[in-house]
Amino acid sequence: MRIRQPRAAVVALTVAVAAGTAACNPDPTASGGGGEGPETAPFVVARTADIDGRDPATATAFQTVQTLGLVYDTLLDTGSDGELEPGLATEWEVSDDGTEVTLQLRDGVTFHDGAEFTAEDAKATLERVLDPDTGSVVASNLGNVKSIEAPDDTTLVISLSNPDASLLNVLSQTGTSILDSGDIEDKTVGREVNGTGPFAWEGWKQGQQVTLTASDDYWGDAPTLETVELRVIPDESSILSGMRAGSFDLGIVTDPSVAQQVGEEEAQVISQPTLSYHVLQLNAQRGPLTDVRVRQAIACAIDREQVVEQAYFGEGEVTGPITSPAFDYDATEGLPCDPPDLDTARSLLEEAGEGDGFSLDTIVMTGEYATASNIAQSVQGQLQEIGVDLQLQQQETSVYVDNWLNASYDAAVALNGGSTDPYVMYGRYFGPDASLAKPAGLADEGLARLLTEGNSTTDEDERQQVFGELQSEMLDLSPWVWLQHNQSYYLLGSDVQGFEAMTTESLDYLAETTREGSG
């Protein structure tokens, strides 16, 4: 990604923040991507689900993370190659002993309401993430932070109790997006949206769309697109129909059967494997799943390649727990079998006293990604062979997320975010004081120790060894069954230029996207 340079002068921009003020028509045949002229027509993004909140610290749904990432900035950015790049911090230095990180921040940056950005905002933001009352989903990733100081307006110093190899990566996540300290003090975060990003918040009509406007006073290159509408179109076939009708400029789908229907003259198609992964989460705190042999039996019974074929038409890759590109491990080494192995699965159930089978209340999200039901049905059919009956419960995004966060399920078909750093992936689930320990469904001292050990060194050989042990141990404990990498498809109008898909599923490149005739 091109690094945007700060502007010499910044003029204050005041944005009216009022949910539900934007006009919206989710009908795919309605005017959107065309008809008003390229300079004034909103750039319409069609996707299957709505956001579920406005607080970046508590955001878990992919659509929420994508959207808030356009409005808020982070201290560091992740480029399209996965490498860290400057964000609101232009430079950073780690002390020789790894226990102090000093960041130099941009000068002349303002929030969308006109307030000046300083190091005090960054300090207040990170302290808010660490405050248990915030309920941040990334708080545990800052568990080594001992103190945060802002000696001047453009310097931030983070002191650590132990060396922390993942800290810089964490500072690039939407969960640590920088907030205005005044908004934090006034407790308006989550009700109003006020960032320093390339787009400013215009309005949210729940269940229908979010509207963003270009921030002409953005510290980097101001977006060419004046208005972006992120519309909710629940059915991916309707997204395709809208692209064909010229109603949408960008359609995001996950069903390969939909992407395969796109003709060369109808839209550009970008197929992007992601760091996120599909998993069958098993709640080890409930019923038969408290026995590791039962969880292992389920893992042994599932043919992951069959899931890929049935749910993704073969367009996917089987994965183990760690999807980080630099950490390449065997996807099943650590299991007591080479799946699919129904004989071993049945033997494990017999040993656990569950040979007669049992049922599991299994939640499945509808809306966020179309393949969830296909994955659930494929896994359900396979587990019936060993007497395990998944009782599938289809739930809308908001209901699913609440039940998932509270571990109100026996099993969950889930799409979880990945990272270039294994600790960032699993520290929040299985590490010490993990923020998402409840939905993780299993607390294990061995996993916590390995995560801490891997995060305490920057030696790449050591990290490869430790995280290899972590992957093997996770497969042995089988708190979840890892299935395959996620695959996203982006359908772009023929006049759209400059958009790139990222493995992180970020929509950051909308800030560099143009529409023919609008530049």
Side-chain angles (χ1 to χ4, degrees):
M1 178 183 292
R2 184 171 74 250
I3 301 174
R4 306 178 189 89
Q5 297 302 315
R7 295 164 60 102
V10 181
V11 181
L13 172 68
T14 301
V15 179
V17 182
T21 60
C24 171
N25 188 342
D27 183 350
T29 63
S31 176
E36 298 178 53
E39 294 186 3
T40 58
F43 186 93
V44 181
V45 179
R47 56 188 184 180
T48 55
D50 196 9
I51 65 172
D52 64 347
R54 288 170 282 196
D55 184 347
T58 60
T60 56
F62 279 92
Q63 284 79 5
T64 307
V65 172
Q66 286 177 335
T67 303
L68 297 181
L70 296 170
V71 180
Y72 289 101
D73 281 322
T74 48
L75 291 171
L76 302 179
D77 281 337
T78 303
S80 56
D81 58 0
E83 296 297 318
L84 292 174
E85 297 178 346
L88 288 176
T90 57
E91 300 177 12
W92 51 92
E93 182 179 358
V94 181
S95 63
D96 290 341
D97 65 358
T99 61
E100 186 172 276
V101 178
T102 303
L103 300 101
Q104 298 302 318
L105 310 184
R106 294 187 188 276
D107 193 13
V109 175
T110 61
F111 288 92
H112 296 144
D113 69 352
E116 182 182 357
F117 161 70
T118 71
E120 285 295 336
D121 298 303
K123 178 177 185 292
T125 295
L126 297 182
E127 289 176 342
R128 178 178 183 269
V129 169
L130 288 167
D131 184 348
D133 290 340
T134 302
S136 169
V137 296
V138 299
S140 56
N141 288 341
L142 296 175
N144 282 322
V145 173
K146 185 167 60 174
S147 66
I148 306 167
E149 301 297 334
D152 57 58
D153 284 351
T154 59
T155 305
L156 187 73
V157 180
I158 303 174
S159 298
L160 306 170
S161 55
N162 296 292
D164 192 320
S166 69
L167 177 66
L168 295 176
N169 192 298
V170 173
L171 297 181
S172 73
Q173 293 184 305
T174 298
T176 58
S177 295
I178 300 304
L179 310 172
D180 184 343
S181 57
D183 294 340
I184 295 173
E185 184 176 352
D186 294 341
K187 301 186 184 302
T188 60
V189 179
R191 291 189 289 111
E192 299 180 357
V193 183
N194 179 35
T196 62
F199 292 95
W201 190 269
E202 182 69 21
W204 175 26
K205 192 165 187 178
Q206 285 185 269
Q208 296 187 50
Q209 77 177 40
V210 172
T211 303
L212 309 177
T213 57
S215 174
D216 293 332
D217 300 306
Y218 179 53
W219 54 264
D221 294 335
T224 299
L225 303 174
E226 294 180 9
T227 304
V228 172
E229 292 181 357
L230 299 146
R231 293 190 188 174
V232 180
I233 308 297
D235 180 64
E236 290 195 354
S237 295
S238 295
I239 292 179
L240 176 57
S241 297
M243 291 299 301
R244 286 171 169 166
S247 300
F248 308 141
D249 297 287
L250 169 62
I252 304 174
V253 301
T254 60
D255 189 338
S257 68
V258 173
Q260 289 168 3
Q261 296 177 47
V262 180
E264 291 184 5
E265 298 180 357
E266 294 176 328
Q268 308 169 65
V269 180
I270 300 176
S271 175
Q272 178 64 61
T274 72
L275 295 174
S276 58
Y277 55 95
H278 295 280
V279 66
L280 177 67
Q281 292 191 204
L282 305 174
N283 190 345
Q285 306 297 319
R286 292 170 64 148
L289 297 175
T290 58
D291 192 318
V292 65
R293 293 168 296 185
V294 172
R295 303 194 301 270
Q296 289 174 338
I298 291 172
C300 286
I302 296 176
D303 185 341
R304 293 148 179 79
E305 292 288 356
Q306 184 175 324
V307 176
V308 172
E309 287 294 328
Q310 292 179 340
Y312 268 89
F313 295 83
E315 294 193 21
E317 182 180 351
V318 170
T319 186
I322 296 177
T323 63
S324 309
F327 299 83
D328 186 20
Y329 307 118
D330 187 289
T332 58
E333 185 176 348
L335 291 172
C337 62
D338 182 14
D341 186 340
L342 296 180
D343 289 338
T344 298
R346 292 188 182 102
S347 295
L348 287 165
L349 289 180
E350 289 287 349
E351 291 174 17
E354 299 291 347
D356 292 334
F358 52 88
S359 63
L360 298 174
D361 290 335
T362 305
I363 60 174
V364 184
M365 184 187 296
T366 60
E368 187 171 75
Y369 60 104
T371 51
S373 294
N374 294 342
I375 292 169
Q377 291 166 10
S378 176
V379 172
Q380 179 188 49
Q382 293 187 50
L383 291 181
Q384 287 174 348
E385 297 293 320
I386 61 169
V388 176
D389 181 21
L390 299 188
Q391 296 289 319
L392 303 182
Q393 301 172 5
Q394 307 271 355
Q395 298 177 347
E396 292 293 331
T397 301
S398 59
V399 176
Y400 176 96
V401 170
D402 284 344
N403 286 327
W404 183 83
L405 287 171
N406 291 304
S408 299
Y409 58 82
D410 297 324
V413 176
L415 175 60
N416 293 346
S419 172
T420 55
D421 190 294
Y423 182 83
V424 174
M425 290 183 68
Y426 292 111
R428 59 182 181 164
Y429 290 112
F430 303 107
D433 302 316
S435 303
L436 295 175
K438 184 175 285 187
L442 176 72
D444 182 79
E445 292 183 1
L447 294 182
R449 176 185 58 78
L450 287 169
L451 282 161
T452 300
E453 186 178 340
N455 194 43
S456 299
T457 178
T458 57
D459 185 287
E460 288 305 317
D461 289 338
E462 287 185 38
R463 300 191 94 218
Q464 286 284 342
Q465 179 179 344
V466 171
F467 288 129
E469 293 177 26
L470 174 71
Q471 162 131 329
S472 180
E473 186 67 13
M474 292 176 83
L475 288 168
D476 178 57
L477 291 170
S478 294
W480 308 343
V481 182
W482 286 268
L483 301 171
Q484 81 268 7
H485 287 278
N486 187 41
Q487 188 91 1
S488 290
Y489 302 90
Y490 301 84
L491 317 182
L492 296 105
S494 58
D495 59 346
V496 175
Q497 300 173 346
F499 180 83
E500 292 186 24
M502 300 179 69
T503 58
T504 59
E505 296 167 84
S506 162
L507 296 179
D508 284 358
Y509 270 96
L510 284 179
E512 301 185 21
T513 298
T514 62
R515 200 162 42 194
E516 188 176 325
S518 65

